[in-house]
Amino acid sequence: MHIPNSTIFMPSIFTLRGIPGLESVQCWIGIPFFAMYLIAIIGNSLLLIIIKTEHSLHEPMYIFLGMLAVTDIALATSIVPKMLGVYWFHAPEIYIDSCLFQMCLIHTFQCTESGILLAMALDRYVAICYPLRHATIFTHQVITQIGAVVTLRAATLVAPCFILIKFRFQFYHTTVISHSYCEHMAIVKLAAEDIRINKIYGLFVAFTVAGMDLTFITLSYVQIFITVFRLPQKEARLKAFNTCTAHICVFLQLYLLSFFSFFTHRFGKKIPLPYLNLLFYLT
């Protein structure tokens, strides 16, 4: 394989460019991101405190909601501090190992979020379709095991992304990442070597997690809706729907925005890069 002379061999540092084309106003753009980060931390922390202190909320649905809150805090914390360092303190450099570690954290927490949403859907399915068996199926031990499996699945799927970059790539076209944080494809595109395996594996992980989880969530809610519509009383139907409303809203928000971001970054070549990056951060 021919490697151009202009390539960089085994760089130790990457540079996060931020939002290309909007460098002059990044200090102002950082303000709403900081506000959203604070709101996310405070809101999720309050939710965790309420769930912990209120014994009536020690049920599977709220425990899963607490897991989702922890994951949201971890995901935001793995992204926003470095992003603000780029915007406010002009500190774009990041060691390559730190960059790869951040990439692993981000994608692991994203996969974990998807798994928790699947667990919440299955919890609602059992609670509505088999209410008498719900307490015996979703015990605290089972919930803990589900949390461990979801996290282990995410870490296992994301780990090869780290290995395929760390131990395959030696030459890079550039060390400048056109984002404010380290993301899998943003790093892969810098390499001056064959990236097909990395691209294929990245798509495999995305479609395995989103495809499998989305399929089971959809099937769960199809059965839930069938069961609910068969209930004889209108009040019972409304009560059953109300127990699913919050989960449906979170589910739609996560997957619709994720798919929007995924397809616009791969097929939205006519969208100006600054606006494309802003859409990516907001999703």
Side-chain angles (χ1 to χ4, degrees), residues 91-123:
E93 293 83 11
I94 183 171
Y95 286 105
I96 185 170
D97 288 338
S98 300
C99 187
L100 293 177
F101 181 63
Q102 184 189 49
M103 176 199 75
C104 290
L105 288 179
I106 291 171
H107 294 305
T108 298
F109 293 137
Q110 287 174 334
C111 293
T112 302
E113 276 189 340
S114 180
I116 294 172
L117 288 175
L118 172 59
M120 293 173 71
L122 295 176
D123 168 67

Side-chain angles (χ1 to χ4, degrees), residues 37-54 57-58 62 65-70 72-73:
Y37 177 63
L38 280 183
I39 292 171
I41 296 297
I42 294 172
N44 284 307
S45 298
L46 287 175
L47 178 63
L48 290 170
I49 292 171
I50 292 171
I51 293 174
K52 181 175 178 60
T53 55
E54 184 60 49
L57 299 181
H58 292 181
Y62 298 105
L65 192 60
M67 291 181 183
L68 194 62
V70 171
D72 283 341
I73 292 173

